[in-house]
Amino acid sequence: MDKLPPLNALRAFEAAGRHLSITAAAEELHVTPGAVSRQIRGLEEGLGVQLLHRGHRQISLTSAGEDYYRAVTRAMDDLREATTRLNKRAKRKQLKVRAYTTFAMRWLIPRLSSFHAANRGIEVLLTASLDPVDFRKEDIDGAIRLGDGKWSGANAYRLVSNILVPVCSPGLLAAGPKVRKPADLRHHTLLHSIARPDDWAHWLRSVRAERDVDARGGMTYQSSAMAYAAAIEGQGFAIAQRFLVAADLEAGRLVAPFRQAVDMGDFTYYLLTPADRKESPSMTVFRQWLLAQFAAQQ
């Protein structure tokens, strides 16, 4: 036989083999005993092998039937388990959310486990991208973007104050050239992110050190997360968004040697949702959770 036997015949055989009773198998499958017997006989004829010994009011498996029963049972169990997993997944509501790599890695991902624990029926599918968001063309439910709060076709919810502050490792601060004022940064390597090329210029301008320190000099990385990692390893000073390095400052992996910080005002992080779609209950839960997380942190 070069094709699979009919599923109904396999179900009838598996049930009869498990109960060793045609009647009990029929009751389980909600059919008549005659229907079960016909299914199993058809299976035997198709296989060319006798699977059951039939006695008066009782049945037993043949040697070949026992082997085949074990194989069919394993297959049925695998199918039941796969179906259960699929049904559970189908019942979960999926939210497609986009964020920046650094925001996702350093802030959102460490907290998502608590969201999933509290909302087991909602699965957040998180992607990272620098690309602009167009809810009319993309199948996403929400996005975390950096901007001034004004997006066409989107509702914008302000998340956090975007405060810039230089940071470095404690070891670099202790061993390197002394840093007493912002102008002293000219003796150190500045660490930049391609995604945020102007942050150092903003901060140096705010502390009136733009003529003393080259805001473009130093080393550049693909993301702020990489620049922060380089700072932790003592490679230089990174200009950080303070809320994204709060855990490192608290743990002592990074230090902020200057009291001066720059608040970028309305230019900060927002949660965006489509303005032309009704917000789903799952998105409402996620939005409220996200805003509560930032409120607690601040």
Side-chain angles (χ1 to χ4, degrees):
M1 176 179 273
D2 59 357
K3 61 181 181 179
L4 290 173
L7 180 58
N8 283 342
L10 292 175
R11 290 182 66 204
F13 170 66
E14 188 272 338
R18 179 159 34 85
H19 293 291
L20 292 179
S21 168
I22 296 294
T23 301
E27 290 176 357
E28 177 183 315
L29 299 174
H30 304 290
V31 297
T32 64
V36 172
S37 294
R38 286 192 295 273
Q39 290 283 2
I40 296 174
R41 286 196 183 278
L43 180 61
E44 290 175 322
E45 291 172 3
L47 294 171
V49 175
Q50 182 180 352
L51 300 173
L52 298 180
H53 292 301
R54 294 166 176 83
H56 181 64
R57 294 181 178 273
Q58 64 180 11
I59 61 171
S60 61
L61 292 165
T62 65
S63 176
E66 288 181 356
D67 291 340
Y68 197 56
Y69 171 75
R70 285 192 290 269
V72 170
T73 299
R74 286 195 299 271
M76 288 289 188
D77 288 343
D78 288 344
L79 185 58
R80 289 189 187 99
E81 184 178 345
T83 302
T84 299
R85 289 199 304 268
L86 191 62
N87 284 336
K88 286 182 178 179
R89 183 174 180 180
K91 290 177 182 177
R92 297 190 71 181
K93 297 177 178 65
Q94 294 184 338
L95 279 180
K96 298 177 182 178
V97 177
R98 176 183 295 173
Y100 298 108
T101 299
T102 299
F103 184 98
M105 291 178 60
R106 297 189 67 86
W107 195 92
L108 184 53
I109 290 175
R111 292 168 173 80
L112 266 184
S113 58
S114 68
F115 175 82
H116 286 140
N119 302 277
R120 296 191 179 278
I122 303 174
E123 180 181 2
V124 178
L125 301 180
L126 181 63
T127 59
S129 173
L130 294 174
D131 296 336
V133 173
D134 189 340
F135 289 114
R136 294 169 299 178
K137 298 179 180 179
E138 298 180 83
D139 182 23
I140 57 175
D141 300 293
I144 295 162
R145 299 284 93 178
L146 187 64
D148 61 4
K150 300 173 184 177
W151 278 271
S152 175
N155 304 307
Y157 302 91
R158 194 178 194 274
L159 296 178
V160 65
S161 296
N162 184 21
I163 297 174
L164 304 181
V165 59
V167 295
C168 68
S169 71
L172 178 65
L173 192 64
K178 297 298 182 183
V179 177
R180 297 185 177 87
K181 57 186 183 298
D184 293 335
L185 287 172
R186 65 181 180 272
H187 303 302
H188 288 270
T189 300
L190 303 189
L191 307 177
H192 304 264
S193 163
I194 290 177
R196 300 177 60 84
D198 301 320
D199 282 357
W200 268 117
H202 286 307
W203 188 83
L204 289 168
R205 192 180 306 117
S206 74
V207 297
R208 300 179 181 179
E210 69 272 25
R211 294 184 179 180
D212 302 301
V213 183
D214 181 4
R216 301 290 177 180
M219 300 175 63
T220 301
Y221 297 87
Q222 184 69 30
S223 68
S224 295
M226 296 173 69
Y228 301 161
I232 290 172
E233 294 301 319
Q235 295 179 19
F237 279 74
I239 184 70
Q241 299 161 90
R242 190 163 64 189
F243 82 99
L244 291 177
V245 296
D248 297 297
L249 292 170
E250 188 173 334
R253 291 184 292 270
L254 290 173
V255 294
F258 301 105
R259 296 178 60 185
Q260 299 98 320
V262 175
D263 188 335
M264 298 298 289
D266 289 337
F267 190 81
T268 187
Y269 288 89
Y270 295 81
L271 171 66
L272 306 185
T273 61
D276 59 353
R277 290 185 230 158
K278 182 179 179 181
E279 185 173 83
S280 69
S282 297
M283 189 68 227
T284 300
V285 170
F286 180 76
R287 173 174 57 80
Q288 292 174 343
W289 172 83
L290 192 65
L291 292 172
Q293 291 289 311
F294 276 111
Q297 182 176 339
Q298 295 183 63

